[in-house]
Amino acid sequence: MNLSDSDIQTIFLTLKLASTVTLLLLFFATPLAWWLARTKSWLKVPISTIVALPLVLPPTVLGFYVLIAMGPNGFIGGFTQTLGLGTLAFTFWGLVVASMLYSLPFVVQPIQNAIESIGERPLEVAATLGAGPVDRFFTVVLPLAKPGFLTGAVLGFAHTVGEFGIVLMIGGNIPGETRVVSVQIYDHVEALDYAQAHQLSAMMILFSFVILFALYGLGRKSSLLNIFTLKGRGQ
Amino acid sequence: MSDNGLQVKLSFTYPSSNYSGFSLDLDLIMPSRGVTVIFGESGSGKTSLLRCIAGLEKISNGQVQLNHNTWQDSSHFVPTHKRKLGYVFQETSLFSHLTVKQNLAYAIKRSTEKHDPKFLQQVIDVLAIANTINKYPSQLSGGERQRVAIARALLSKPQILLMDEPLASLDNARKQQILPYLEGLHSEFKIPIIYVTHSIEEMIRLADYGVILQAGKVVAQGNLTELFGNIDTPLSLNQDLSTVLECEFVQLDEKWNLTQVGFDGGLLWLPKLNNIQNKKVRVQILASDVSISLVAPEQTSVLNILQVKVGQVSNEHKLGTSLLVLYIGASQIVASLTSKSLSELGIQQGDTVWAMIKSVAIVR
């Protein structure tokens, strides 16, 4: 193994991006998953559909519209400019926002499934024992839905590591800012530098294998790895 | 707290879109002591009633009041976790991620009442769950789970304990194991209990007061002995019509292994009972086990013969069968006899006759 400095830089950037996206997604996806799991509103179906869209859309399509939205005249761009942050396109945080949208269903759906499979009863029980809503979430929902949260976190992380198209659309190829492993591999191949491409690609395969292996091990117990079937319940 | 202040008042209609045609329409005052059994067939609304009391169903048009606390009326709704109640669900409801000990601690931690370790020990002893304490719910039997669930509900020190068919998910053998614990609950912990069931047996064993629900409406209510002494009580299991009497120990006949007990109006011989000296005995007499004689019976094998006054007569209550309500003291006994016998004996309301009771079942 002789990784170049720029290879190592991209690896760290990729890990930083994936960690940031995963943490933020857990924070934002949980209330969304909670709402989707428990609402009886007619909005459930349209919202679920929108959340699931990144599963089927080409990353370029999503990236294209996010790019426009982040531009000076887009609604995200307008917002960030008012905050004095400039525009997000071709920045690390632009990548974070785009990746969050792109990986959203991979985090929302396992959590939603887990919450749905808990059902109402444990929450009702906790309420009769004097536990308020916040208390119920932390002492009942979180521990009982733990496999769902784990699955969501791992899938969200792995999926962010593995993205390429949306990175190119939003981030371009700026070393240390937006150049992640997948883009670096593309560059190596373009430069006919196959040895370097091999190294990074092999690492990605190994990484993905380990992640999925761990996930299926987890899934055997909780059978929550039905994300691709879009099933409503986790059991 | 005044003596008669603890009351549960309910009045609401329940036309929910989820249940087509289902309604709960009642205005009910239940006693705030002892065990009140809400009896009804499935679909009668008894579970919904209990859930409304607990605030688990949010009914817009409702009023729930326990003692002097208003839990719900037109202007406000106290959420379940702020109502001081215990709830035992029909099926297992223990937190699967917590051990029995942690399940119990969950209740203690959130109780607003003062807790001393003695109370915990008492609850554990009364429900006999000491050997389950470090196990997870999945390692317990169905009966043990329900006992732990009851213990957990008690440990939150509620003002009222609501139980929704806690035995329905258990087989008969387990039921018989748990019933004695339930009987002990009220006397041990002095907590009012609202107990929902569709089992006549559970009602007879547990109830002090009964409420009978049919299609979301209250069709009868009263003390257990009143309910069972009244032939108009629409207990759907009318084929086994019976009377329930509360008795007290009188004497033991060692020679013949019999126990004599007294009720308000007379005495009864029962098989020998051990350890009942200070306790009350509740007995059940099937209407079909009571026969009538117009003269004082002599030379008969029946031990329990009571002189009674005929009250209400229900001719042809069922095909070929008529019912009599018999008064003795302040008590009532229901007898069923063939309409043929009734007609041939010419029994009329107000007659004095002799009731021969062939068998008396000890309920508790």
PDB file of all heavy atoms in Angstrom, chain B residues 212-245:
ATOM      1  N   ILE B 212     -73.014  -3.741  34.158  1.00  0.00           N
ATOM      2  CA  ILE B 212     -73.161  -4.592  32.993  1.00  0.00           C
ATOM      3  C   ILE B 212     -73.396  -3.733  31.766  1.00  0.00           C
ATOM      4  O   ILE B 212     -74.302  -2.900  31.730  1.00  0.00           O
ATOM      5  CB  ILE B 212     -74.296  -5.610  33.199  1.00  0.00           C
ATOM      6  CG1 ILE B 212     -73.904  -6.496  34.387  1.00  0.00           C
ATOM      7  CG2 ILE B 212     -74.507  -6.460  31.960  1.00  0.00           C
ATOM      8  CD1 ILE B 212     -74.995  -7.392  34.861  1.00  0.00           C
ATOM      9  N   LEU B 213     -72.545  -3.919  30.783  1.00  0.00           N
ATOM     10  CA  LEU B 213     -72.592  -3.122  29.561  1.00  0.00           C
ATOM     11  C   LEU B 213     -73.138  -3.969  28.423  1.00  0.00           C
ATOM     12  O   LEU B 213     -72.788  -5.130  28.291  1.00  0.00           O
ATOM     13  CB  LEU B 213     -71.178  -2.667  29.162  1.00  0.00           C
ATOM     14  CG  LEU B 213     -70.536  -1.444  29.783  1.00  0.00           C
ATOM     15  CD1 LEU B 213     -69.284  -1.094  29.017  1.00  0.00           C
ATOM     16  CD2 LEU B 213     -71.500  -0.284  29.804  1.00  0.00           C
ATOM     17  N   GLN B 214     -73.992  -3.344  27.626  1.00  0.00           N
ATOM     18  CA  GLN B 214     -74.435  -3.996  26.393  1.00  0.00           C
ATOM     19  C   GLN B 214     -74.472  -2.938  25.310  1.00  0.00           C
ATOM     20  O   GLN B 214     -75.106  -1.897  25.492  1.00  0.00           O
ATOM     21  CB  GLN B 214     -75.828  -4.612  26.566  1.00  0.00           C
ATOM     22  CG  GLN B 214     -75.775  -6.104  26.896  1.00  0.00           C
ATOM     23  CD  GLN B 214     -77.149  -6.678  27.168  1.00  0.00           C
ATOM     24  OE1 GLN B 214     -78.164  -6.054  26.869  1.00  0.00           O
ATOM     25  NE2 GLN B 214     -77.175  -7.863  27.740  1.00  0.00           N
ATOM     26  N   ALA B 215     -73.782  -3.202  24.223  1.00  0.00           N
ATOM     27  CA  ALA B 215     -73.759  -2.277  23.085  1.00  0.00           C
ATOM     28  C   ALA B 215     -73.497  -0.840  23.521  1.00  0.00           C
ATOM     29  O   ALA B 215     -74.158   0.097  23.076  1.00  0.00           O
ATOM     30  CB  ALA B 215     -75.065  -2.361  22.301  1.00  0.00           C
ATOM     31  N   GLY B 216     -72.535  -0.681  24.397  1.00  0.00           N
ATOM     32  CA  GLY B 216     -72.119   0.659  24.786  1.00  0.00           C
ATOM     33  C   GLY B 216     -73.013   1.347  25.793  1.00  0.00           C
ATOM     34  O   GLY B 216     -72.828   2.517  26.084  1.00  0.00           O
ATOM     35  N   LYS B 217     -73.997   0.610  26.296  1.00  0.00           N
ATOM     36  CA  LYS B 217     -74.900   1.211  27.280  1.00  0.00           C
ATOM     37  C   LYS B 217     -74.884   0.399  28.573  1.00  0.00           C
ATOM     38  O   LYS B 217     -74.713  -0.817  28.537  1.00  0.00           O
ATOM     39  CB  LYS B 217     -76.326   1.252  26.727  1.00  0.00           C
ATOM     40  CG  LYS B 217     -76.524   2.288  25.633  1.00  0.00           C
ATOM     41  CD  LYS B 217     -77.996   2.403  25.297  1.00  0.00           C
ATOM     42  CE  LYS B 217     -78.317   3.699  24.576  1.00  0.00           C
ATOM     43  NZ  LYS B 217     -77.520   3.901  23.350  1.00  0.00           N
ATOM     44  N   VAL B 218     -75.108   1.105  29.676  1.00  0.00           N
ATOM     45  CA  VAL B 218     -75.187   0.409  30.954  1.00  0.00           C
ATOM     46  C   VAL B 218     -76.588  -0.168  31.086  1.00  0.00           C
ATOM     47  O   VAL B 218     -77.567   0.570  31.038  1.00  0.00           O
ATOM     48  CB  VAL B 218     -74.917   1.373  32.118  1.00  0.00           C
ATOM     49  CG1 VAL B 218     -75.108   0.660  33.453  1.00  0.00           C
ATOM     50  CG2 VAL B 218     -73.510   1.937  32.012  1.00  0.00           C
ATOM     51  N   VAL B 219     -76.702  -1.505  31.225  1.00  0.00           N
ATOM     52  CA  VAL B 219     -78.033  -2.099  31.333  1.00  0.00           C
ATOM     53  C   VAL B 219     -78.358  -2.505  32.762  1.00  0.00           C
ATOM     54  O   VAL B 219     -79.517  -2.739  33.083  1.00  0.00           O
ATOM     55  CB  VAL B 219     -78.201  -3.293  30.381  1.00  0.00           C
ATOM     56  CG1 VAL B 219     -78.278  -2.812  28.945  1.00  0.00           C
ATOM     57  CG2 VAL B 219     -77.069  -4.290  30.536  1.00  0.00           C
ATOM     58  N   ALA B 220     -77.339  -2.613  33.598  1.00  0.00           N
ATOM     59  CA  ALA B 220     -77.605  -2.905  35.010  1.00  0.00           C
ATOM     60  C   ALA B 220     -76.371  -2.571  35.815  1.00  0.00           C
ATOM     61  O   ALA B 220     -75.250  -2.643  35.309  1.00  0.00           O
ATOM     62  CB  ALA B 220     -77.958  -4.384  35.206  1.00  0.00           C
ATOM     63  N   GLN B 221     -76.577  -2.186  37.054  1.00  0.00           N
ATOM     64  CA  GLN B 221     -75.446  -1.994  37.950  1.00  0.00           C
ATOM     65  C   GLN B 221     -75.915  -2.126  39.377  1.00  0.00           C
ATOM     66  O   GLN B 221     -77.097  -1.962  39.672  1.00  0.00           O
ATOM     67  CB  GLN B 221     -74.791  -0.628  37.723  1.00  0.00           C
ATOM     68  CG  GLN B 221     -75.718   0.544  37.918  1.00  0.00           C
ATOM     69  CD  GLN B 221     -74.987   1.871  37.709  1.00  0.00           C
ATOM     70  OE1 GLN B 221     -73.949   2.095  38.297  1.00  0.00           O
ATOM     71  NE2 GLN B 221     -75.532   2.726  36.878  1.00  0.00           N
ATOM     72  N   GLY B 222     -75.007  -2.470  40.246  1.00  0.00           N
ATOM     73  CA  GLY B 222     -75.356  -2.611  41.649  1.00  0.00           C
ATOM     74  C   GLY B 222     -74.364  -3.489  42.369  1.00  0.00           C
ATOM     75  O   GLY B 222     -73.406  -3.992  41.771  1.00  0.00           O
ATOM     76  N   ASN B 223     -74.613  -3.664  43.672  1.00  0.00           N
ATOM     77  CA  ASN B 223     -73.774  -4.588  44.420  1.00  0.00           C
ATOM     78  C   ASN B 223     -73.925  -5.984  43.830  1.00  0.00           C
ATOM     79  O   ASN B 223     -74.975  -6.321  43.285  1.00  0.00           O
ATOM     80  CB  ASN B 223     -74.196  -4.615  45.887  1.00  0.00           C
ATOM     81  CG  ASN B 223     -73.829  -3.330  46.583  1.00  0.00           C
ATOM     82  OD1 ASN B 223     -72.826  -2.709  46.246  1.00  0.00           O
ATOM     83  ND2 ASN B 223     -74.662  -2.924  47.525  1.00  0.00           N
ATOM     84  N   LEU B 224     -72.879  -6.763  43.971  1.00  0.00           N
ATOM     85  CA  LEU B 224     -72.881  -8.065  43.320  1.00  0.00           C
ATOM     86  C   LEU B 224     -74.083  -8.903  43.741  1.00  0.00           C
ATOM     87  O   LEU B 224     -74.761  -9.511  42.918  1.00  0.00           O
ATOM     88  CB  LEU B 224     -71.585  -8.806  43.660  1.00  0.00           C
ATOM     89  CG  LEU B 224     -71.389 -10.071  42.845  1.00  0.00           C
ATOM     90  CD1 LEU B 224     -71.043  -9.735  41.420  1.00  0.00           C
ATOM     91  CD2 LEU B 224     -70.351 -10.959  43.475  1.00  0.00           C
ATOM     92  N   THR B 225     -74.367  -8.901  45.063  1.00  0.00           N
ATOM     93  CA  THR B 225     -75.467  -9.748  45.529  1.00  0.00           C
ATOM     94  C   THR B 225     -76.809  -9.245  44.988  1.00  0.00           C
ATOM     95  O   THR B 225     -77.677 -10.044  44.663  1.00  0.00           O
ATOM     96  CB  THR B 225     -75.490  -9.768  47.068  1.00  0.00           C
ATOM     97  OG1 THR B 225     -75.335  -8.436  47.543  1.00  0.00           O
ATOM     98  CG2 THR B 225     -74.377 -10.616  47.611  1.00  0.00           C
ATOM     99  N   GLU B 226     -76.935  -7.938  44.864  1.00  0.00           N
ATOM    100  CA  GLU B 226     -78.166  -7.389  44.270  1.00  0.00           C
ATOM    101  C   GLU B 226     -78.303  -7.811  42.813  1.00  0.00           C
ATOM    102  O   GLU B 226     -79.364  -8.245  42.360  1.00  0.00           O
ATOM    103  CB  GLU B 226     -78.152  -5.854  44.301  1.00  0.00           C
ATOM    104  CG  GLU B 226     -78.334  -5.226  45.661  1.00  0.00           C
ATOM    105  CD  GLU B 226     -77.975  -3.738  45.630  1.00  0.00           C
ATOM    106  OE1 GLU B 226     -78.018  -3.124  44.529  1.00  0.00           O
ATOM    107  OE2 GLU B 226     -77.643  -3.233  46.699  1.00  0.00           O
ATOM    108  N   LEU B 227     -77.206  -7.672  42.086  1.00  0.00           N
ATOM    109  CA  LEU B 227     -77.242  -8.011  40.665  1.00  0.00           C
ATOM    110  C   LEU B 227     -77.658  -9.450  40.459  1.00  0.00           C
ATOM    111  O   LEU B 227     -78.468  -9.773  39.606  1.00  0.00           O
ATOM    112  CB  LEU B 227     -75.865  -7.806  40.036  1.00  0.00           C
ATOM    113  CG  LEU B 227     -75.501  -6.397  39.589  1.00  0.00           C
ATOM    114  CD1 LEU B 227     -74.084  -6.391  39.037  1.00  0.00           C
ATOM    115  CD2 LEU B 227     -76.476  -5.888  38.549  1.00  0.00           C
ATOM    116  N   PHE B 228     -77.080 -10.326  41.292  1.00  0.00           N
ATOM    117  CA  PHE B 228     -77.354 -11.741  41.093  1.00  0.00           C
ATOM    118  C   PHE B 228     -78.671 -12.174  41.730  1.00  0.00           C
ATOM    119  O   PHE B 228     -79.193 -13.230  41.422  1.00  0.00           O
ATOM    120  CB  PHE B 228     -76.185 -12.588  41.615  1.00  0.00           C
ATOM    121  CG  PHE B 228     -75.088 -12.704  40.609  1.00  0.00           C
ATOM    122  CD1 PHE B 228     -74.140 -11.710  40.491  1.00  0.00           C
ATOM    123  CD2 PHE B 228     -75.046 -13.778  39.741  1.00  0.00           C
ATOM    124  CE1 PHE B 228     -73.146 -11.809  39.550  1.00  0.00           C
ATOM    125  CE2 PHE B 228     -74.057 -13.877  38.784  1.00  0.00           C
ATOM    126  CZ  PHE B 228     -73.092 -12.887  38.690  1.00  0.00           C
ATOM    127  N   GLY B 229     -79.198 -11.341  42.645  1.00  0.00           N
ATOM    128  CA  GLY B 229     -80.485 -11.685  43.222  1.00  0.00           C
ATOM    129  C   GLY B 229     -81.637 -11.201  42.357  1.00  0.00           C
ATOM    130  O   GLY B 229     -82.784 -11.471  42.635  1.00  0.00           O
ATOM    131  N   ASN B 230     -81.309 -10.467  41.314  1.00  0.00           N
ATOM    132  CA  ASN B 230     -82.342  -9.867  40.482  1.00  0.00           C
ATOM    133  C   ASN B 230     -82.443 -10.628  39.162  1.00  0.00           C
ATOM    134  O   ASN B 230     -81.487 -10.667  38.386  1.00  0.00           O
ATOM    135  CB  ASN B 230     -81.969  -8.404  40.229  1.00  0.00           C
ATOM    136  CG  ASN B 230     -83.017  -7.672  39.423  1.00  0.00           C
ATOM    137  OD1 ASN B 230     -83.946  -8.290  38.909  1.00  0.00           O
ATOM    138  ND2 ASN B 230     -82.865  -6.379  39.313  1.00  0.00           N
ATOM    139  N   ILE B 231     -83.608 -11.214  38.917  1.00  0.00           N
ATOM    140  CA  ILE B 231     -83.717 -12.039  37.714  1.00  0.00           C
ATOM    141  C   ILE B 231     -83.815 -11.201  36.456  1.00  0.00           C
ATOM    142  O   ILE B 231     -83.739 -11.710  35.352  1.00  0.00           O
ATOM    143  CB  ILE B 231     -84.913 -13.010  37.789  1.00  0.00           C
ATOM    144  CG1 ILE B 231     -86.182 -12.245  38.120  1.00  0.00           C
ATOM    145  CG2 ILE B 231     -84.644 -14.096  38.802  1.00  0.00           C
ATOM    146  CD1 ILE B 231     -87.407 -13.133  38.127  1.00  0.00           C
ATOM    147  N   ASP B 232     -83.975  -9.900  36.620  1.00  0.00           N
ATOM    148  CA  ASP B 232     -84.009  -9.047  35.431  1.00  0.00           C
ATOM    149  C   ASP B 232     -82.614  -8.619  34.988  1.00  0.00           C
ATOM    150  O   ASP B 232     -82.447  -8.019  33.936  1.00  0.00           O
ATOM    151  CB  ASP B 232     -84.847  -7.789  35.697  1.00  0.00           C
ATOM    152  CG  ASP B 232     -86.308  -8.147  35.919  1.00  0.00           C
ATOM    153  OD1 ASP B 232     -86.742  -9.152  35.311  1.00  0.00           O
ATOM    154  OD2 ASP B 232     -86.985  -7.452  36.690  1.00  0.00           O
ATOM    155  N   THR B 233     -81.621  -8.921  35.803  1.00  0.00           N
ATOM    156  CA  THR B 233     -80.260  -8.567  35.414  1.00  0.00           C
ATOM    157  C   THR B 233     -79.897  -9.297  34.128  1.00  0.00           C
ATOM    158  O   THR B 233     -79.977 -10.519  34.072  1.00  0.00           O
ATOM    159  CB  THR B 233     -79.271  -8.970  36.522  1.00  0.00           C
ATOM    160  OG1 THR B 233     -79.585  -8.252  37.694  1.00  0.00           O
ATOM    161  CG2 THR B 233     -77.841  -8.655  36.103  1.00  0.00           C
ATOM    162  N   PRO B 234     -79.581  -8.555  33.106  1.00  0.00           N
ATOM    163  CA  PRO B 234     -79.333  -9.214  31.820  1.00  0.00           C
ATOM    164  C   PRO B 234     -77.939  -9.821  31.742  1.00  0.00           C
ATOM    165  O   PRO B 234     -77.126  -9.415  30.942  1.00  0.00           O
ATOM    166  CB  PRO B 234     -79.512  -8.080  30.818  1.00  0.00           C
ATOM    167  CG  PRO B 234     -79.227  -6.839  31.583  1.00  0.00           C
ATOM    168  CD  PRO B 234     -79.454  -7.106  33.026  1.00  0.00           C
ATOM    169  N   LEU B 235     -77.683 -10.764  32.577  1.00  0.00           N
ATOM    170  CA  LEU B 235     -76.433 -11.500  32.439  1.00  0.00           C
ATOM    171  C   LEU B 235     -76.640 -12.459  31.293  1.00  0.00           C
ATOM    172  O   LEU B 235     -77.578 -13.238  31.293  1.00  0.00           O
ATOM    173  CB  LEU B 235     -76.112 -12.249  33.732  1.00  0.00           C
ATOM    174  CG  LEU B 235     -75.750 -11.343  34.907  1.00  0.00           C
ATOM    175  CD1 LEU B 235     -75.847 -12.090  36.207  1.00  0.00           C
ATOM    176  CD2 LEU B 235     -74.365 -10.770  34.714  1.00  0.00           C
ATOM    177  N   SER B 236     -75.757 -12.389  30.351  1.00  0.00           N
ATOM    178  CA  SER B 236     -76.049 -13.129  29.125  1.00  0.00           C
ATOM    179  C   SER B 236     -75.946 -14.631  29.330  1.00  0.00           C
ATOM    180  O   SER B 236     -76.339 -15.400  28.493  1.00  0.00           O
ATOM    181  CB  SER B 236     -75.108 -12.682  28.029  1.00  0.00           C
ATOM    182  OG  SER B 236     -73.795 -12.821  28.498  1.00  0.00           O
ATOM    183  N   LEU B 237     -75.371 -15.031  30.470  1.00  0.00           N
ATOM    184  CA  LEU B 237     -75.261 -16.466  30.690  1.00  0.00           C
ATOM    185  C   LEU B 237     -76.426 -16.939  31.556  1.00  0.00           C
ATOM    186  O   LEU B 237     -76.256 -17.615  32.555  1.00  0.00           O
ATOM    187  CB  LEU B 237     -73.934 -16.784  31.365  1.00  0.00           C
ATOM    188  CG  LEU B 237     -72.728 -16.316  30.583  1.00  0.00           C
ATOM    189  CD1 LEU B 237     -71.453 -16.648  31.321  1.00  0.00           C
ATOM    190  CD2 LEU B 237     -72.694 -16.929  29.198  1.00  0.00           C
ATOM    191  N   ASN B 238     -77.614 -16.550  31.155  1.00  0.00           N
ATOM    192  CA  ASN B 238     -78.784 -16.817  31.964  1.00  0.00           C
ATOM    193  C   ASN B 238     -79.042 -18.297  32.195  1.00  0.00           C
ATOM    194  O   ASN B 238     -79.730 -18.666  33.127  1.00  0.00           O
ATOM    195  CB  ASN B 238     -80.023 -16.186  31.338  1.00  0.00           C
ATOM    196  CG  ASN B 238     -80.263 -14.810  31.901  1.00  0.00           C
ATOM    197  OD1 ASN B 238     -79.567 -14.419  32.828  1.00  0.00           O
ATOM    198  ND2 ASN B 238     -81.217 -14.099  31.365  1.00  0.00           N
ATOM    199  N   GLN B 239     -78.470 -19.123  31.335  1.00  0.00           N
ATOM    200  CA  GLN B 239     -78.703 -20.554  31.524  1.00  0.00           C
ATOM    201  C   GLN B 239     -78.121 -21.011  32.859  1.00  0.00           C
ATOM    202  O   GLN B 239     -78.565 -21.960  33.442  1.00  0.00           O
ATOM    203  CB  GLN B 239     -78.128 -21.366  30.356  1.00  0.00           C
ATOM    204  CG  GLN B 239     -76.642 -21.206  30.155  1.00  0.00           C
ATOM    205  CD  GLN B 239     -76.322 -20.077  29.194  1.00  0.00           C
ATOM    206  OE1 GLN B 239     -77.098 -19.119  29.075  1.00  0.00           O
ATOM    207  NE2 GLN B 239     -75.204 -20.158  28.503  1.00  0.00           N
ATOM    208  N   ASP B 240     -77.087 -20.297  33.343  1.00  0.00           N
ATOM    209  CA  ASP B 240     -76.489 -20.650  34.623  1.00  0.00           C
ATOM    210  C   ASP B 240     -76.873 -19.641  35.690  1.00  0.00           C
ATOM    211  O   ASP B 240     -76.054 -19.236  36.487  1.00  0.00           O
ATOM    212  CB  ASP B 240     -74.957 -20.676  34.510  1.00  0.00           C
ATOM    213  CG  ASP B 240     -74.505 -21.831  33.648  1.00  0.00           C
ATOM    214  OD1 ASP B 240     -75.239 -22.836  33.613  1.00  0.00           O
ATOM    215  OD2 ASP B 240     -73.459 -21.702  33.011  1.00  0.00           O
ATOM    216  N   LEU B 241     -78.114 -19.196  35.666  1.00  0.00           N
ATOM    217  CA  LEU B 241     -78.529 -18.173  36.604  1.00  0.00           C
ATOM    218  C   LEU B 241     -78.240 -18.605  38.035  1.00  0.00           C
ATOM    219  O   LEU B 241     -78.443 -19.749  38.409  1.00  0.00           O
ATOM    220  CB  LEU B 241     -80.031 -17.935  36.459  1.00  0.00           C
ATOM    221  CG  LEU B 241     -80.429 -16.511  36.794  1.00  0.00           C
ATOM    222  CD1 LEU B 241     -80.210 -15.620  35.589  1.00  0.00           C
ATOM    223  CD2 LEU B 241     -81.852 -16.466  37.254  1.00  0.00           C
ATOM    224  N   SER B 242     -77.743 -17.676  38.808  1.00  0.00           N
ATOM    225  CA  SER B 242     -77.359 -18.055  40.160  1.00  0.00           C
ATOM    226  C   SER B 242     -77.480 -16.881  41.117  1.00  0.00           C
ATOM    227  O   SER B 242     -77.717 -15.751  40.708  1.00  0.00           O
ATOM    228  CB  SER B 242     -75.925 -18.586  40.171  1.00  0.00           C
ATOM    229  OG  SER B 242     -75.054 -17.586  39.712  1.00  0.00           O
ATOM    230  N   THR B 243     -77.328 -17.189  42.386  1.00  0.00           N
ATOM    231  CA  THR B 243     -77.368 -16.178  43.428  1.00  0.00           C
ATOM    232  C   THR B 243     -76.010 -16.160  44.106  1.00  0.00           C
ATOM    233  O   THR B 243     -75.376 -17.195  44.237  1.00  0.00           O
ATOM    234  CB  THR B 243     -78.416 -16.560  44.489  1.00  0.00           C
ATOM    235  OG1 THR B 243     -79.637 -16.850  43.832  1.00  0.00           O
ATOM    236  CG2 THR B 243     -78.620 -15.433  45.485  1.00  0.00           C
ATOM    237  N   VAL B 244     -75.579 -14.981  44.491  1.00  0.00           N
ATOM    238  CA  VAL B 244     -74.331 -14.881  45.232  1.00  0.00           C
ATOM    239  C   VAL B 244     -74.651 -14.333  46.618  1.00  0.00           C
ATOM    240  O   VAL B 244     -75.396 -13.363  46.748  1.00  0.00           O
ATOM    241  CB  VAL B 244     -73.340 -13.948  44.502  1.00  0.00           C
ATOM    242  CG1 VAL B 244     -72.086 -13.767  45.327  1.00  0.00           C
ATOM    243  CG2 VAL B 244     -72.999 -14.508  43.132  1.00  0.00           C
ATOM    244  N   LEU B 245     -74.125 -14.975  47.648  1.00  0.00           N
ATOM    245  CA  LEU B 245     -74.355 -14.516  49.022  1.00  0.00           C
ATOM    246  C   LEU B 245     -73.032 -14.298  49.731  1.00  0.00           C
ATOM    247  O   LEU B 245     -72.095 -15.078  49.569  1.00  0.00           O
ATOM    248  CB  LEU B 245     -75.169 -15.555  49.807  1.00  0.00           C
ATOM    249  CG  LEU B 245     -76.593 -15.838  49.333  1.00  0.00           C
ATOM    250  CD1 LEU B 245     -77.181 -17.012  50.112  1.00  0.00           C
ATOM    251  CD2 LEU B 245     -77.476 -14.605  49.476  1.00  0.00           C
TER     252      LEU B 245
END
